[in-house]
Amino acid sequence: MTLPIRPELAGLEPYGAPQLDVPVRLNVNENPYAPSARVVADIVGAVAEAAAGLNRYPDRDFAPLRAGLAAYLARESHVSLAPEQLWAANGSNEVMLHLLQAFGGPGRSVVSFAPTYSMYPEYARDTSTAWHVGRRQDDFTVDPEHAAATIARYAPSVVLLASPNNPTGTALPSGTVRAVLDAAAEVPGGCVVVVDEAYAEFRRAGTPSALALLGEYPHLAVSRTMSKAFGMAGARLGYLAAARPLVDALRVVRLPYHLSAVTQAVALAALGHAEELMAQVDGLRRERDALVEWLRGNGLRVADSDANFVLFGVFDDRHAIWQGLLDRGVLIRETGPEGWLRASVGTPEETAAFRAALVEVAGL
C-alpha cells in the first residue's frame, strides 16, 4: 500500500546524531556534569507534588515558570522582562517550530547564514516555508552588508541567527545583530528576527546578549534553553524572550497543554538552583579555552568559540579521523564545512582522553 506522504518528506531519514555507548561522548554539546544530589532531591520532590495532580491538565500558560525564567534572565543578563514576554516549549526545537508556524508557512520564506544549525532548514521544511541561505565569512562571522542584501533579496518573514553559532561557536557582535534587525524592519509585511542563544551562558566576558536589544526592536525574539548550561538536556525545556505581541502569536499555534505538569515542575526546581548549576559554566569555559589553545598549538585550525564546543580541522579525510577516535572510545561530531570536526567540552578527564586519541589518530 502506498502512503500519501508529502513529496518533500519521501525517502528522508530523521534528524539525529549517533547515540553510541562509548566511554567518552563529546558529540552533542551536552553539559558533562550531572545535577548534584541536592538538585536531584528537589526535582524529585517537585515531580512528586506534580504527580499528585496528574489527573488534571497542566497550566496552559505556565505562569509561574514564565516568572521564574524572567527572574533568571534578570540575574544572568541584567535585562528586566515581564513574565508575559517569556515563552517556553519542549526544547528550543519546539520554540523554533512555533515561530515558523506563526510567522512562516506556504508562500513565505526564512533566511539564515550558513554554515549554521542543521535543524533550521528542517523547521522550514516542516512548516512549508521556503528556505534561503546567505553565507558566513571565512572566520564564520556574518558580514552586515551581505546580511542586509540577502534580506532585501528574499524579503523573508523570518531570519534565524544563531549566536553563538552551531557548529562553529561564533558569537555575533551587537552591531551585526542591529544591522540584521534594521534590514528586517524594511521587509514589506514585516519580518521577525530570531537570535538563537542556546549556548549564551558560555560566551566569553564582554560578549553581548541580544536580550539587551529587546526594548528597541519589537520584531526581535531571543531563544534560550536549559539543555546546555543548566545540564538539563533530558528535561526538554527551551524558552524565548520577545515583545508581548510576538509571544501572544506563539500562544495561538501551540498545542493545548503542550508543557506537561512534570516538565514545568522540573524546570522550576532547576531554576531554584541556577547559581549552583551555573557554577560549572566557568570551569567549562576554561576547559574550552585551554582546548582551543592546545589544538592550535598542534597546528590545527580552530574557530573562535563562545559555546561549549570547538570546531577544528581541516582534515583531508575527516571521516577517517572521526572513525579513528571512535575506535578509541571517543565520540565527536562529523559536522560543519568539509574537513572540519566538532568536539563538545567534557570533563578534564574526557578532554584528556580526546587529546590522547587525537594525537594517535591525526599524528599530532
Side-chain angles (χ1 to χ4, degrees), residues 209-220:
S209 167
L211 288 167
L213 303 177
L214 284 173
E216 301 177 53
Y217 295 97
H219 59 302
L220 168 64

Side-chain angles (χ1 to χ4, degrees), residues 304-315:
D304 289 336
S305 178
D306 280 279
N308 68 333
F309 56 82
V310 294
L311 187 77
F312 65 99
V314 176
F315 301 102

Side-chain angles (χ1 to χ4, degrees), residues 127-142:
T127 56
S128 298
T129 309
W131 168 252
H132 301 296
V133 289
R135 304 301 306 176
R136 287 176 175 259
Q137 301 186 97
D138 289 344
D139 62 355
F140 304 125
T141 58
V142 175

Side-chain angles (χ1 to χ4, degrees), residues 3 7 76 96-97 112 173 181 189 237 250 260 268 295 313 326:
L3 296 174
E76 192 275 334
M96 292 291 178
L97 198 60
S112 192
L181 286 161
L237 197 289
L250 306 186
S260 76
L268 271 170
L295 289 166
L326 181 59

